Amino acid sequence: MLLAAIKFKSMIMRVLSRVCALIALMTISLVGTAQRQLTMEEAVLAKGGQLYPMRYANFQWRPLSGDYTYVQGDTLVLRNVASQKDLKRIPLRHLNALLPSNASKLSSWYPVTWHTGQELTFWTGTLKYSVDADFTKVAQLWQLPKEADNIHEAPACDAVVYNIGQSLELQDAAGKRTRVITDTLDGIQNGRAVHRNEFGIEDGIFWSPKGEAFAFYHMDERMVTPYPLVDISDRPAKLAAIRYPMAGQESHQVTVGVVHVDNPSKIVWLQTGLPKEKYLTNLAWSPDAKLLYIAEVNRGQDTMNLVEYDALSGARRRVLFQETDTHYVEPVVPMRFLPNRPGEFIWMSQRSGHNHAYLYNVNGQLIAPVTSGNWDVLEVLGYDKQRSTLYIYSNENAVLDRQLVAVNVVDKSRKRLTPKDGYTTVWLDTQAGRFAARWSSVHDAGGFYISSLRGGPITNERKHANPLEGYAMPQVRLVSLKAADGTTDLYGRLITPPNMDSTQKHKVVVYVYGGPHAQLVTNTWLAGGNLWECLMAQQGYVVFVLDNRGSANRGFAFEQPIHRRLGQLELQDQLKGVEYLKSLPYVDSERMAVHGWSFGGFMTINMLLKSVNAFKVGVAGGPVIDWQYYEIMYGERYMDRPQENPDGYAWADLRRSVRNLEGKRLLLLHGYQDNTVVPQHSLSFMKAVVDAGRYEVDAFFYPGHAHNVRGLDRVQLMAKVTDYINRWL
């Protein structure tokens, strides 16, 4: 009996142990399932950025002080470096309450900047105000006509030039207004950015360093056929035509005017000469405002001349130097004069195969390369004249990183100033010899710190919390593959579902861009990925992104092979990514989708139709369908004119591949007022589908949106993308 009782008790204990283990397992399971799933709105809008590591938005050093400000939500934070304490937290509504009733309320803190250590200034509409550092009172500084836009204030804040329609007007500190130039002809623009914002052009008005004069672009587009975009917000809808020169067609013509503030009624026109079809880029003033420099690129974009002009007479004085390339040249940064080295300037060039800084004198003689090597200067941030030091962003440490580096212009020595590996953003304070830095890496939300521009220990370090704590997050990792040439390294990010069962097969979404001027994969939080990719992984997808040859920050040898054959090498490299995905045991190679926008839209259709059944579904947003329909500057840089490269244009014409739609599904998305990739692209593809007797294509247009769909409409767009992939994959 005793033995039986012992056996019974032992059995009960084993049962209880198993029950407890089961309960524990269920508890763990419940905890796991309790983790939040991203909603589509969170994935797209990120709660106003709260679901990304803290960005210190609108960071500014307070002049001549130990303080700095940044924006957190709708609050301006004033923080002291020494005490590491917040001195003030000012809600935006507090500043708006100080404004008079005739002023438009600010929707964000971004226009507000430090003018002195005791005063901040900002524009609201056509009114400019100052506010004291205690945020107790505001004062009006400028009042411009209500019709004014494109406002440019002189460096000393004693004059303002602005547009009223096509005209330019100057207002001085006494309030006197002078109409500088008046144009009423349709197709004439003054003071606006030209050349479709290529070659780094983002502006059309350029003040001299001390504000004695300003230069402006004058663009004649009358020879360019208007392109008919439609605005449906009125009843009936109205035409909102743009001048859009397509590859191979006649281009617009640009000149540059100069106006001196002491004689604003006189325009000095630079004698830019013939041919008129050329690109006038990277305008820069000499320190004494007597000369203007322009990087002039021929229409073929294989030759650049750096030309010096007399700002008083407009005369073309001389060519300082010339750069040529068998593929293309693309100057994007104006010359930078060095204040402590009279007559010398920094010029950025990719002539060596990588983007580097070169020191020249004003006679156009190369003194020496300032940087060199198989890496790129990603950006020039500033200059310390006391130490003859240039501060740059560099990826010398690693292709996927971005670091602050100090380069001595005299001895060319380099010193990395940011100790954290990963991707760093900095804000310089050269006057105080310091910088603030925000950094992150793939698996680390990173943090913030302050350090010396001379090198040294970091201070004020603040570690960022994981903003996605509590969410069921996927695994993100970097991968390295070989390109189709077998030698070039390609980098990608792979995102797999949370708690993935690797014994099961998972559907795949490939997100693609693939074109120049973009690098999607970096050593930053989530490897540069976005929350929609994480949402798709939460839904059980494997998500993959690859930077193919042709993308940015890898030098010309990586970018230029795509010249005259857009889509070909990019496709080959992306298919190497597909090979890699198919090698993974948990990937369902029969259910793969591809999605991209703009150049990525072109690549999406390219990959869907020209791969051998690699993809079943594609969602292409704002896609280029035929490069003959794209604008001259970008299109001809990479493809030359259609009459010069008929085979390249024919291969990239996606309408020729519509018969390959069999067994696949494609969704086209397009902004109805897209002025970058005009709607004719998607419409012409739809017509080709009809003509071929196919039916596998769906489409959705977004009225009122240009090339990118933003705001709440984007939530609907990404929900549509997700639903389409779920439905057809």
Side-chain angles (χ1 to χ4, degrees):
M1 292 290 295
L2 179 60
L3 181 61
I6 292 174
K7 289 183 177 179
F8 180 78
K9 182 178 180 180
S10 176
M11 181 186 69
I12 293 296
M13 292 299 293
R14 287 197 302 271
V15 171
L16 287 174
S17 176
R18 291 175 181 174
V19 169
C20 288
L22 181 59
I23 291 173
L25 182 62
M26 291 174 62
T27 302
I28 293 171
S29 177
L30 287 171
V31 169
T33 58
Q35 287 186 302
R36 291 189 57 189
Q37 303 291 307
L38 288 163
T39 67
M40 187 60 67
E41 187 168 346
E42 287 174 333
V44 175
L45 304 180
K47 291 186 177 179
Q50 294 179 40
L51 295 183
Y52 287 103
M54 191 169 175
R55 299 183 177 185
Y56 293 85
N58 203 33
F59 182 98
Q60 297 178 60
W61 290 104
R62 183 180 181 181
L64 301 175
S65 77
D67 306 332
Y68 59 86
T69 56
Y70 62 92
V71 175
Q72 190 172 18
D74 66 349
T75 299
L76 183 74
V77 180
L78 175 65
R79 189 173 178 86
N80 182 259
V81 174
S83 68
Q84 301 189 41
K85 293 182 179 179
D86 293 346
L87 304 179
K88 293 181 185 295
R89 298 182 68 88
I90 312 294
L92 184 61
R93 64 179 181 275
H94 176 83
L95 177 59
N96 278 329
L98 298 176
L99 293 173
S101 58
N102 67 322
S104 301
K105 303 302 182 184
L106 292 171
S107 60
S108 76
W109 281 100
Y110 289 93
V112 182
T113 58
W114 287 100
H115 179 59
T116 67
Q118 301 302 318
E119 179 187 44
L120 301 97
T121 60
F122 58 93
W123 286 91
T124 173
T126 58
L127 301 174
K128 186 181 182 183
Y129 291 91
S130 67
V131 61
D132 65 295
D134 292 325
F135 292 90
T136 58
K137 57 183 178 181
V138 298
Q140 183 176 302
L141 302 177
W142 290 100
Q143 181 173 357
L144 305 181
K146 291 183 178 179
E147 305 82 10
D149 73 333
N150 194 31
I151 299 167
H152 287 70
E153 196 169 4
C157 303
D158 55 356
V160 180
V161 63
Y162 51 87
N163 276 95
I164 295 182
Q166 297 158 275
S167 302
L168 282 180
E169 195 166 274
L170 178 74
Q171 182 170 317
D172 64 20
K176 180 182 177 182
R177 296 171 184 166
T178 302
R179 187 62 61 93
V180 174
I181 186 169
T182 300
D183 279 301
T184 57
L185 292 174
D186 181 35
I188 300 292
Q189 295 286 347
N190 293 296
R192 312 283 187 180
V194 299
H195 303 322
R196 302 285 305 169
N197 298 88
E198 293 294 331
F199 310 103
I201 298 172
E202 296 296 338
D203 217 335
I205 295 173
F206 310 87
W207 279 101
S208 62
K210 297 180 181 177
E212 310 97 318
F214 67 89
F216 67 93
Y217 279 130
H218 172 87
M219 180 166 61
D220 185 350
E221 300 181 285
R222 288 174 295 174
M223 66 290 298
V224 178
T225 303
Y227 185 89
L229 295 176
V230 177
D231 181 357
I232 69 163
S233 61
D234 283 351
R235 178 177 178 267
K238 63 183 180 183
L239 183 66
I242 60 171
R243 304 280 178 165
Y244 190 92
M246 292 183 176
Q249 297 181 341
E250 188 173 4
S251 183
H252 56 239
Q253 298 171 6
V254 173
T255 55
V256 175
V258 177
V259 176
H260 290 81
V261 174
D262 59 2
N263 188 11
S265 60
K266 179 185 177 182
I267 300 175
V268 177
W269 294 103
L270 300 190
Q271 297 167 21
T272 52
L274 299 174
K276 291 186 176 181
E277 280 195 340
K278 58 185 172 184
Y279 306 120
L280 307 181
T281 75
N282 298 279
L283 271 68
W285 283 91
S286 64
D288 61 7
K290 293 181 180 179
L291 302 170
L292 263 173
Y293 298 89
I294 300 178
E296 299 185 5
V297 180
N298 66 325
R299 177 162 174 176
Q301 301 188 50
D302 58 7
T303 303
M304 185 282 301
N305 290 308
L306 185 60
V307 184
E308 178 184 272
Y309 289 91
D310 189 318
L312 296 175
S313 68
R316 180 186 178 101
R317 288 168 53 95
R318 56 182 173 172
V319 175
L320 267 63
F321 59 82
Q322 183 182 88
E323 289 189 354
T324 61
D325 192 276
T326 55
H327 296 87
Y328 52 84
V329 293
E330 189 184 5
V332 294
V333 181
M335 61 203 297
R336 178 192 290 264
F337 280 92
L338 302 181
N340 68 329
R341 301 174 68 83
E344 296 180 358
F345 62 89
I346 296 293
W347 178 253
M348 301 302 301
S349 173
Q350 298 188 76
R351 67 182 63 160
S352 71
H354 286 274
N355 196 43
H356 282 296
Y358 297 84
L359 183 64
Y360 275 87
N361 65 26
V362 290
N363 293 318
Q365 296 170 327
L366 174 64
I367 298 173
V370 178
T371 61
S372 61
N374 294 324
W375 53 278
D376 283 277
V377 176
L378 305 177
E379 186 179 349
V380 174
L381 302 172
Y383 182 72
D384 182 346
K385 64 181 181 181
Q386 279 75 34
R387 302 176 64 236
S388 295
T389 298
L390 197 68
Y391 297 105
I392 63 171
Y393 279 139
S394 163
N395 64 3
E396 182 177 9
N397 177 66
V399 169
L400 305 185
D401 284 14
R402 187 174 77 168
Q403 303 294 339
L404 173 65
V405 173
V407 184
N408 187 283
V409 172
V410 179
D411 64 18
K412 316 305 181 294
S413 61
R414 296 194 297 275
K415 183 177 184 179
R416 175 176 157 182
L417 300 177
T418 42
K420 307 281 190 179
D421 287 341
Y423 197 89
T424 305
T425 298
V426 301
W427 300 273
L428 302 184
D429 183 0
T430 54
Q431 199 167 31
R434 62 188 174 184
F435 68 92
R438 176 179 62 83
W439 69 278
S440 70
S441 58
V442 175
H443 300 115
D444 194 330
F448 172 91
Y449 61 88
I450 293 172
S451 188
S452 169
L453 285 171
R454 289 162 176 77
I458 63 177
T459 62
N460 286 66
E461 186 168 12
R462 303 167 73 180
K463 190 73 174 63
H464 291 158
N466 181 353
L468 298 168
E469 189 71 36
Y471 287 84
M473 290 309 298
Q475 182 183 27
V476 182
R477 64 178 181 269
L478 295 171
V479 298
S480 177
L481 312 175
K482 292 298 182 184
D485 63 3
T487 59
T488 304
D489 290 324
L490 303 177
Y491 298 102
R493 66 173 170 266
L494 183 71
I495 304 178
T496 52
N499 304 314
M500 182 183 68
D501 183 351
S502 59
T503 66
Q504 300 295 314
K505 296 290 187 179
H506 296 266
K507 296 181 290 184
V508 174
V509 174
V510 172
Y511 183 79
V512 62
Y513 182 76
H517 298 171
Q519 182 183 19
L520 299 186
V521 181
T522 54
N523 185 18
T524 188
W525 178 243
L526 301 181
N530 59 51
L531 296 182
W532 178 78
E533 295 173 6
C534 295
L535 179 147
M536 294 302 286
Q538 286 180 341
Q539 294 190 12
Y541 287 87
V542 170
V543 182
F544 185 69
V545 180
L546 183 73
D547 282 329
N548 51 249
R549 282 175 293 170
S551 53
N553 302 331
R554 298 284 304 275
F556 259 17
F558 191 82
E559 177 184 304
Q560 283 192 333
I562 66 173
H563 185 240
R564 291 175 59 89
R565 45 179 179 166
L566 287 183
Q568 298 183 39
L569 291 183
E570 302 96 312
L571 174 62
Q572 294 175 26
D573 286 352
Q574 289 292 334
L575 291 181
K576 284 294 179 181
V578 171
E579 286 182 19
Y580 165 74
L581 290 169
K582 289 183 176 181
S583 73
L584 301 175
Y586 49 81
V587 159
D588 186 343
S589 61
E590 299 298 316
R591 294 194 295 173
M592 300 177 71
V594 57
H595 168 49
W597 200 276
S598 193
F599 197 102
F602 163 70
M603 284 299 298
T604 292
I605 302 175
N606 193 27
M607 292 163 66
L608 180 70
L609 300 187
K610 294 185 179 181
S611 61
V612 182
N613 296 323
F615 299 97
K616 298 298 184 185
V617 180
V619 181
V624 175
I625 298 297
D626 182 351
W627 288 98
Q628 291 188 92
Y629 293 159
Y630 201 67
E631 51 93 350
I632 284 174
M633 298 81 199
Y634 184 103
E636 292 184 2
R637 179 185 311 133
Y638 299 113
M639 290 289 279
D640 289 337
R641 304 188 200 196
Q643 53 269 41
E644 298 167 338
N645 184 21
D647 292 341
Y649 276 87
W651 191 96
D653 183 350
L654 300 177
R655 296 170 300 185
R656 296 171 178 246
S657 302
V658 294
R659 295 194 180 277
N660 295 338
L661 280 166
E662 185 175 0
K664 305 172 184 179
R665 298 296 307 195
L666 172 64
L667 173 63
L668 297 175
L669 303 172
H670 219 120
Y672 196 53
Q673 290 182 273
D674 192 334
N675 58 2
T676 301
V677 181
V678 293
Q680 187 171 2
H681 285 273
S682 286
L683 293 169
S684 67
F685 189 82
M686 293 162 66
K687 180 63 167 64
V689 170
V690 172
D691 290 346
R694 306 308 311 175
Y695 58 87
E696 298 92 343
V697 176
D698 302 288
F700 196 94
F701 286 84
Y702 285 84
H705 287 280
H707 190 50
N708 291 304
V709 177
R710 304 186 187 279
L712 290 175
D713 289 11
R714 188 163 188 83
V715 177
Q716 190 270 358
L717 182 152
M718 294 311 299
K720 181 171 286 293
V721 172
T722 305
D723 177 71
Y724 197 83
I725 293 172
N726 286 337
R727 181 184 305 176
W728 292 105
L729 197 60

